[in-house]
Amino acid sequence: MWYLIKNNLKLMLRNKIIFVLMVFGPFFVIGILSSAFEEMMKSYETAEDFRAGYQIEKGSFWESSIEAVKEAGEEAGIKLSEYPEGEPEELVKNNILAGFVKLGTDKYTIYENTDNETEGVVLEYFFSQYLNKISSQVLYAEVPVMEGKTLKVPDEGLKVPMEEIDYMPAINSKDYYGITEIIYFSCMGIICMAGVLASEKKNGIGIKFQITSVTDFQFYIAKWLPTVFVVASGIGISSVLSAVVYGIHWGNLFISMLLVFLVIMAGVSYGLMLYTVSGNMAVTVIVLFSSVFFMAFLGGCFETYMYSGFSEDLKNISPVYHVNRALVENSCMGHSGYTLNSILYLLAISAACTCAALLAGWAGKRGKKRG
């Protein structure tokens, strides 16, 4: 088995073009996307501390949770003050306040002006994130949303523990795409093995090794292990290069490196499973790119997941979303509730794809013997 591992590793390292693409592909895509979406991502950048006003409609669920809102606002650099009297338009227009929010029973409305555009976007983002947090804490709970869309609130009221409200700070385009594009390319690791697999099929290596003492699992590991090593090396170099050139912040390096490595493992396992089932590299590449692109699209590799139009339930289907969110939150907050989910998700994918590949290989050999 070790002879196979060393031989496959040498063959992959000979294909310098693929390795160079694995290093510089993410690097250039990060540069392009971060520049293209830099202005858009400025909407998420934290403004300096500012004052905003609010009015609460009588009977609104906000009455019982406003102290939690104000405390979370302080952490986000927003000082919220109540203005029971006065017109919001005048207060904002005269620059007395950077923004204003009217909290009704079935909707909330945010007022802003052109002089405080950034603060207005921050205020809107804050309340959007706050309501998302509340929705995730209470089973079947639905809360008011912006622009008058009416949603019901449970009759027993909504209690939000202040210590559980965690406002996500802003993240710039370089950090965001510097993380998500590394994850996207990490899923494509099987491409590094394409030449070896084509040569193996052409020369009938698999058939020749059936008469040796090498087991199916050892034969699989002889392909899986060097591929993971080569992809991890390429992605590692690309990550370091991007961090140095673009100034990308990864947060907790141990957690970030662990998640990226698990993505590489899962991506290689998935690719080998597709190849074992199809027996055709062209089919493998098409299915791999199509499925990974779909998962990456849901997961925020192209459109930021924070303002994606997809529902949370749909995004949670994608393992890429779990990883991206864990890494992005780790970058700007230092921790994430999605880290453990991501680790379990990726380990499950690696194990399931490995078992499926071994089962498909066993079934294929058995079919050939019968034939």
Side-chain angles (χ1 to χ4, degrees):
M1 183 181 76
W2 292 110
Y3 168 76
L4 277 174
I5 291 174
K6 289 189 289 184
N7 188 60
N8 288 336
L9 184 59
K10 288 178 182 178
L11 289 173
M12 280 190 285
L13 292 176
R14 283 180 187 173
N15 195 340
K16 295 181 176 58
I17 295 178
I18 296 295
F19 187 77
V20 168
L21 286 175
M22 189 60 66
V23 172
F24 290 101
F27 177 78
F28 287 119
V29 172
I30 290 168
I32 293 169
L33 289 179
S34 62
S35 297
F37 293 101
E38 184 176 7
E39 291 300 318
M40 182 193 75
M41 293 294 283
K42 282 183 179 178
S43 300
Y44 312 139
E45 289 182 4
T46 305
E48 295 181 0
D49 292 2
F50 63 90
R51 291 180 59 206
Y54 68 89
Q55 288 179 357
I56 303 179
E57 186 176 337
K58 189 175 180 180
S60 168
F61 90 97
W62 294 99
E63 289 181 326
S64 62
S65 61
I66 190 61
E67 291 303 320
V69 176
K70 291 171 72 173
E71 184 170 322
E74 288 280 354
E75 295 179 6
I78 306 171
K79 183 175 177 55
L80 291 167
S81 304
E82 185 174 12
Y83 286 78
E85 304 294 336
E87 291 298 320
E89 293 92 339
E90 290 299 320
L91 292 169
V92 173
K93 184 178 179 180
N94 296 329
N95 289 322
I96 297 174
L97 299 169
F100 199 95
V101 56
K102 290 185 71 173
L103 304 170
T105 56
D106 59 356
K107 66 178 180 179
Y108 71 94
T109 306
I110 291 177
Y111 299 83
E112 59 184 75
N113 63 28
T114 54
D115 293 332
N116 301 106
E117 186 175 347
T118 302
E119 288 81 357
V121 172
V122 170
L123 189 63
E124 179 182 338
Y125 177 62
F126 169 77
F127 275 92
S128 172
Q129 290 294 93
Y130 179 82
L131 291 178
N132 285 340
K133 185 68 176 178
I134 292 176
S135 298
S136 66
Q137 289 176 341
V138 183
L139 188 62
Y140 302 119
E142 295 179 338
V143 295
V145 296
M146 197 173 174
E147 299 300 333
K149 295 179 182 177
T150 304
L151 298 172
K152 294 182 180 179
V153 180
D155 293 335
E156 65 270 22
L158 190 59
K159 296 180 180 179
V160 184
M162 286 189 288
E163 65 272 15
E164 292 189 14
I165 298 171
D166 201 0
Y167 177 75
M168 177 181 161
I171 185 167
N172 61 43
S173 61
K174 285 185 172 61
D175 284 349
Y176 183 86
Y177 286 106
I179 291 169
T180 58
E181 297 314 306
I182 287 293
I183 295 302
Y184 179 64
F185 277 85
S186 295
C187 297
M188 306 293 187
I190 194 63
I191 303 303
C192 292
M193 192 68 176
V196 176
L197 293 174
S199 176
E200 180 184 283
K201 185 175 182 179
K202 180 180 178 181
N203 298 310
I205 301 298
I207 297 174
K208 293 176 182 178
F209 270 92
Q210 288 180 15
I211 60 175
T212 68
S213 60
V214 177
T215 64
D216 290 342
F217 181 71
Q218 289 175 325
F219 193 65
Y220 174 86
I221 290 297
K223 291 182 286 188
W224 183 87
L225 197 59
T227 308
V228 169
F229 175 80
V230 171
V231 177
S233 300
I235 290 297
I237 295 172
S238 184
S239 300
V240 171
L241 183 64
S242 300
V244 172
V245 175
Y246 300 128
I248 296 166
H249 303 92
W250 282 88
N252 187 313
L253 285 179
F254 175 75
I255 295 296
S256 297
M257 289 170 63
L258 175 63
L259 287 175
V260 173
F261 186 70
L262 290 175
V263 170
I264 293 170
M265 287 173 53
V268 172
S269 301
Y270 179 56
L272 283 175
M273 181 201 70
L274 291 177
Y275 180 77
T276 305
V277 171
S278 67
N280 187 298
M281 196 62 208
V283 173
T284 299
V285 171
I286 292 171
V287 175
L288 178 72
F289 270 78
S290 300
S291 55
V292 170
F293 180 86
F294 176 72
M295 292 299 174
F297 190 71
L298 287 179
C301 287
F302 311 113
E303 179 186 20
T304 56
Y305 68 77
M306 291 89 77
Y307 276 80
S308 170
F310 298 112
S311 68
E312 197 70 16
D313 290 337
L314 187 58
K315 287 188 286 189
N316 276 321
I317 296 173
S318 170
V320 177
Y321 171 68
H322 288 259
V323 178
N324 280 346
R325 181 155 181 177
L327 288 171
V328 168
E329 291 180 357
N330 179 47
S331 171
C332 62
M333 296 170 63
H335 62 89
S336 173
Y338 278 74
T339 300
L340 181 59
N341 288 347
S342 300
I343 292 172
L344 296 176
Y345 213 152
L346 295 170
L347 289 175
I349 291 173
S350 296
C353 290
T354 297
C355 292
L358 293 173
L359 184 61
W362 173 80
K365 286 198 302 183
R366 189 174 181 183
K368 288 178 182 179
K369 286 179 180 179
R370 286 184 175 180

